[in-house]
Amino acid sequence: MKLYDSKTSPYCRKVMVLAHEAGQVDALTLDYVAGTAVSPGTLPVSVNPLGKIPCLVRPDGPALYDSRVICAYLDDLWGTNLYPTGTRRWETLTLEATADGMLDAALLWVYEVRLRDEAQWNHGWRDGQAAKVVRALDALEARWLAHLHGPLDMGQIAIGVALGYLDFRQPVGAWREGRPALAAWYETFSQRPSMLATVPVE
Ligand SMILES: N[C@@H](CCC(=O)N[C@@H](CS)C(=O)NCC(=O)O)C(=O)O
Protein backbone atom coordinates (compact mmCIF):
# COMPACT_ATOMS: atom_id res chain seq x y z
CA MET A 1 0.00 0.00 0.00
CA LYS A 2 1.20 3.50 -0.76
CA LEU A 3 0.80 6.20 1.86
CA TYR A 4 1.02 9.83 0.75
CA ASP A 5 2.85 11.17 3.75
CA SER A 6 4.79 14.08 5.25
CA LYS A 7 7.23 14.16 8.16
CA THR A 8 5.63 17.32 9.50
CA SER A 9 1.96 16.34 9.22
CA PRO A 10 0.46 15.27 12.55
CA TYR A 11 -2.41 13.49 10.77
CA CYS A 12 0.15 11.39 8.87
CA ARG A 13 1.96 10.79 12.14
CA LYS A 14 -1.19 9.19 13.60
CA VAL A 15 -1.08 6.62 10.79
CA MET A 16 2.64 6.00 11.22
CA VAL A 17 2.39 5.57 15.01
CA LEU A 18 -0.33 2.99 14.41
CA ALA A 19 1.88 1.23 11.82
CA HIS A 20 4.77 1.10 14.29
CA GLU A 21 2.54 -0.19 17.10
CA ALA A 22 1.24 -2.88 14.72
CA GLY A 23 4.76 -3.83 13.55
CA GLN A 24 3.57 -3.15 9.98
CA VAL A 25 5.73 -0.25 8.82
CA ASP A 26 7.06 -2.38 5.96
CA ALA A 27 3.51 -2.80 4.62
CA LEU A 28 3.50 0.89 3.68
CA THR A 29 5.45 2.50 0.84
CA LEU A 30 5.84 6.13 1.83
CA ASP A 31 5.53 8.85 -0.80
CA TYR A 32 6.43 12.20 0.75
CA VAL A 33 4.44 15.08 -0.67
CA ALA A 34 4.13 18.75 0.14
CA GLY A 35 1.05 20.94 -0.01
CA THR A 36 -0.80 23.64 1.87
CA ALA A 37 -4.35 24.89 2.25
CA VAL A 38 -3.90 27.00 -0.88
CA SER A 39 -2.26 24.34 -3.07
CA PRO A 40 -2.31 20.53 -3.10
CA GLY A 41 1.38 20.71 -4.03
CA THR A 42 2.72 17.35 -5.21
CA LEU A 43 -0.24 15.25 -4.03
CA PRO A 44 -2.19 14.02 -7.08
CA VAL A 45 -5.75 15.29 -6.61
CA SER A 46 -6.92 12.29 -8.62
CA VAL A 47 -6.40 10.19 -5.47
CA ASN A 48 -7.83 12.73 -3.01
CA PRO A 49 -9.91 15.54 -4.51
CA LEU A 50 -9.54 17.45 -1.23
CA GLY A 51 -5.78 17.63 -1.79
CA LYS A 52 -5.01 16.56 1.78
CA ILE A 53 -2.70 14.03 3.38
CA PRO A 54 -2.60 11.35 4.66
CA CYS A 55 -4.02 9.42 1.73
CA LEU A 56 -3.74 5.62 1.44
CA VAL A 57 -3.73 3.86 -1.91
CA ARG A 58 -4.74 0.23 -1.42
CA PRO A 59 -4.87 -2.69 -3.87
CA ASP A 60 -8.51 -3.62 -3.37
CA GLY A 61 -10.52 -0.41 -3.60
CA PRO A 62 -10.41 3.36 -4.00
CA ALA A 63 -7.86 5.41 -2.09
CA LEU A 64 -8.78 6.19 1.51
CA TYR A 65 -8.35 9.59 3.06
CA ASP A 66 -8.80 11.34 6.35
CA SER A 67 -6.56 9.99 9.08
CA ARG A 68 -9.55 8.68 11.06
CA VAL A 69 -10.72 6.56 8.13
CA ILE A 70 -7.22 5.30 7.36
CA CYS A 71 -6.50 4.43 11.00
CA ALA A 72 -9.81 2.57 11.38
CA TYR A 73 -9.13 0.68 8.13
CA LEU A 74 -5.58 -0.33 9.07
CA ASP A 75 -6.62 -1.27 12.61
CA ASP A 76 -9.22 -3.59 11.11
CA LEU A 77 -6.79 -4.96 8.51
CA TRP A 78 -3.98 -5.58 10.99
CA GLY A 79 -6.18 -6.69 13.91
CA THR A 80 -4.60 -4.25 16.36
CA ASN A 81 -7.88 -3.59 18.23
CA LEU A 82 -7.04 0.05 18.90
CA TYR A 83 -10.74 0.90 18.62
CA PRO A 84 -12.18 -1.06 21.55
CA THR A 85 -15.75 -2.30 21.80
CA GLY A 86 -18.37 -1.34 24.39
CA THR A 87 -18.46 1.91 26.34
CA ARG A 88 -14.76 2.54 25.85
CA ARG A 89 -15.24 2.69 22.08
CA TRP A 90 -17.27 5.90 22.28
CA GLU A 91 -14.73 7.46 24.62
CA THR A 92 -11.93 6.46 22.26
CA LEU A 93 -13.68 7.97 19.25
CA THR A 94 -14.45 11.17 21.16
CA LEU A 95 -10.87 11.40 22.36
CA GLU A 96 -9.61 10.98 18.78
CA ALA A 97 -12.10 13.65 17.64
CA THR A 98 -10.80 15.95 20.39
CA ALA A 99 -7.22 15.43 19.23
CA ASP A 100 -8.13 15.98 15.59
CA GLY A 101 -10.06 19.12 16.54
CA MET A 102 -7.00 20.42 18.37
CA LEU A 103 -4.92 19.67 15.29
CA ASP A 104 -7.42 21.34 12.94
CA ALA A 105 -7.34 24.50 15.07
CA ALA A 106 -3.56 24.42 15.49
CA LEU A 107 -3.02 23.87 11.76
CA LEU A 108 -5.32 26.77 10.83
CA TRP A 109 -3.32 28.90 13.25
CA VAL A 110 -0.10 27.76 11.55
CA TYR A 111 -1.45 28.43 8.06
CA GLU A 112 -2.55 31.93 9.09
CA VAL A 113 0.94 32.69 10.37
CA ARG A 114 2.87 31.02 7.56
CA LEU A 115 0.77 31.70 4.47
CA ARG A 116 -0.15 35.35 5.03
CA ASP A 117 1.89 38.46 5.55
CA GLU A 118 1.75 39.64 9.15
CA ALA A 119 -0.19 42.75 8.08
CA GLN A 120 -2.99 40.48 6.85
CA TRP A 121 -3.26 38.33 9.97
CA ASN A 122 -6.73 38.24 11.48
CA HIS A 123 -5.75 38.24 15.14
CA GLY A 124 -9.25 37.61 16.49
CA TRP A 125 -9.71 34.59 14.24
CA ARG A 126 -6.25 33.26 15.05
CA ASP A 127 -6.81 33.73 18.81
CA GLY A 128 -10.12 31.88 18.44
CA GLN A 129 -8.27 28.85 17.01
CA ALA A 130 -5.74 28.95 19.86
CA ALA A 131 -8.61 29.17 22.37
CA LYS A 132 -10.07 25.90 21.05
CA VAL A 133 -6.75 24.18 21.74
CA VAL A 134 -6.54 25.67 25.23
CA ARG A 135 -10.07 24.54 26.12
CA ALA A 136 -9.34 21.02 24.85
CA LEU A 137 -6.14 20.89 26.93
CA ASP A 138 -8.11 21.91 30.01
CA ALA A 139 -10.71 19.20 29.33
CA LEU A 140 -7.96 16.59 28.96
CA GLU A 141 -6.46 17.59 32.32
CA ALA A 142 -9.87 17.71 34.04
CA ARG A 143 -11.57 14.56 32.82
CA TRP A 144 -9.62 12.35 30.44
CA LEU A 145 -6.65 11.19 32.50
CA ALA A 146 -8.23 7.89 33.57
CA HIS A 147 -8.84 6.97 29.93
CA LEU A 148 -5.37 8.09 28.89
CA HIS A 149 -3.84 5.77 31.49
CA GLY A 150 -5.88 2.77 30.27
CA PRO A 151 -4.91 0.17 27.63
CA LEU A 152 -3.45 1.63 24.45
CA ASP A 153 -6.04 2.84 21.94
CA MET A 154 -6.31 5.23 19.01
CA GLY A 155 -7.62 8.05 21.21
CA GLN A 156 -4.38 8.02 23.20
CA ILE A 157 -2.27 7.89 20.05
CA ALA A 158 -4.13 10.86 18.59
CA ILE A 159 -3.72 12.90 21.78
CA GLY A 160 -0.02 12.01 21.98
CA VAL A 161 0.43 13.18 18.40
CA ALA A 162 -1.57 16.38 19.02
CA LEU A 163 0.56 17.28 22.06
CA GLY A 164 3.70 16.60 20.03
CA TYR A 165 2.41 19.01 17.37
CA LEU A 166 1.91 21.72 20.01
CA ASP A 167 5.57 21.32 20.94
CA PHE A 168 6.59 21.38 17.26
CA ARG A 169 4.63 24.49 16.16
CA GLN A 170 3.95 26.28 19.46
CA PRO A 171 0.47 27.72 18.73
CA VAL A 172 -0.34 28.08 22.44
CA GLY A 173 3.08 28.36 24.09
CA ALA A 174 3.75 26.47 27.33
CA TRP A 175 0.83 24.01 27.31
CA ARG A 176 2.26 22.00 30.26
CA GLU A 177 1.86 24.93 32.66
CA GLY A 178 -1.12 24.34 34.97
CA ARG A 179 -1.67 20.83 33.54
CA PRO A 180 0.74 18.62 35.52
CA ALA A 181 -1.16 15.34 35.08
CA LEU A 182 -1.39 15.69 31.30
CA ALA A 183 2.25 16.73 31.11
CA ALA A 184 3.31 13.67 33.15
CA TRP A 185 1.23 11.35 30.96
CA TYR A 186 2.80 12.80 27.80
CA GLU A 187 6.29 12.53 29.28
CA THR A 188 5.85 8.75 29.44
CA PHE A 189 3.76 8.33 26.28
CA SER A 190 6.17 10.28 24.10
CA GLN A 191 8.91 7.76 24.96
CA ARG A 192 7.09 4.87 23.25
CA PRO A 193 9.25 3.56 20.36
CA SER A 194 6.38 4.36 17.95
CA MET A 195 6.40 8.00 19.06
CA LEU A 196 10.20 8.31 19.06
CA ALA A 197 10.35 6.87 15.53
CA THR A 198 7.90 9.48 14.19
CA VAL A 199 9.02 12.76 15.78
CA PRO A 200 8.23 15.55 13.26
CA VAL A 201 11.18 16.97 11.35
CA GLU A 202 11.19 19.96 9.00
N1 LIG B 1 -9.12 15.69 8.62
C1 LIG B 1 -7.94 15.40 7.84
C2 LIG B 1 -7.00 16.59 7.86
C3 LIG B 1 -5.77 16.37 6.97
C4 LIG B 1 -5.00 17.67 6.72
O1 LIG B 1 -5.50 18.78 6.89
N2 LIG B 1 -3.72 17.49 6.35
C5 LIG B 1 -2.92 18.64 6.02
C6 LIG B 1 -1.44 18.36 6.26
S1 LIG B 1 -1.02 18.42 7.95
C7 LIG B 1 -3.11 18.95 4.57
O2 LIG B 1 -3.07 18.06 3.74
N3 LIG B 1 -3.33 20.23 4.27
C8 LIG B 1 -3.56 20.68 2.93
C9 LIG B 1 -4.87 21.38 2.83
O3 LIG B 1 -5.41 21.88 3.85
O4 LIG B 1 -5.38 21.49 1.70
C10 LIG B 1 -7.27 14.13 8.39
O5 LIG B 1 -7.51 13.79 9.57
O6 LIG B 1 -6.57 13.44 7.64
Side-chain angles (χ1 to χ4, degrees):
M1 290 176 286
K2 180 199 274 198
L3 180 72
Y4 287 101
D5 190 19
S6 157
K7 289 187 176 178
T8 59
S9 165
Y11 307 98
C12 295
R13 189 181 184 195
K14 285 172 61 189
V15 177
M16 291 311 297
V17 171
L18 165 58
H20 278 276
E21 292 290 346
Q24 292 280 1
V25 174
D26 291 346
L28 300 175
T29 302
L30 305 182
D31 190 335
Y32 294 111
V33 293
T36 69
V38 293
S39 162
T42 48
L43 173 72
V45 288
S46 54
V47 291
N48 180 356
L50 304 176
K52 295 188 180 194
I53 50 171
C55 178
L56 182 74
V57 179
R58 59 197 172 125
D60 54 349
L64 299 179
Y65 45 85
D66 197 287
S67 60
R68 265 187 267 185
V69 176
I70 295 171
C71 289
Y73 171 78
L74 293 177
D75 179 65
D76 196 48
L77 184 72
W78 294 332
T80 31
N81 297 319
L82 291 173
Y83 292 94
T85 54
T87 315
R88 200 174 159 86
R89 177 177 189 80
W90 309 115
E91 287 188 13
T92 299
L93 291 173
T94 303
L95 199 54
E96 186 177 11
T98 303
D100 286 1
M102 292 167 71
L103 289 175
D104 292 345
L107 187 63
L108 288 174
W109 184 99
V110 169
Y111 283 154
E112 179 76 358
V113 172
R114 296 187 136 207
L115 300 179
R116 286 190 216 263
D117 294 334
E118 193 166 349
Q120 292 183 312
W121 288 356
N122 182 329
H123 290 272
W125 184 89
R126 204 188 59 164
D127 291 350
Q129 300 305 325
K132 287 177 194 285
V133 177
V134 168
R135 288 195 300 269
L137 286 166
D138 288 340
L140 292 173
E141 178 77 11
R143 57 177 186 268
W144 282 101
L145 264 299
H147 185 110
L148 288 173
H149 282 286
L152 182 70
D153 64 30
M154 204 54 219
Q156 294 170 13
I157 290 174
I159 293 294
V161 166
L163 296 177
Y165 192 67
L166 299 186
D167 282 345
F168 183 52
R169 295 295 194 206
Q170 298 283 321
V172 294
W175 65 264
R176 291 170 178 77
E177 270 177 30
R179 303 183 189 97
L182 185 62
W185 174 80
Y186 181 68
E187 194 63 33
T188 303
F189 193 84
S190 61
Q191 295 307 306
R192 293 182 78 88
S194 61
M195 290 290 286
L196 292 173
T198 57
V199 172
V201 283
E202 200 78 69

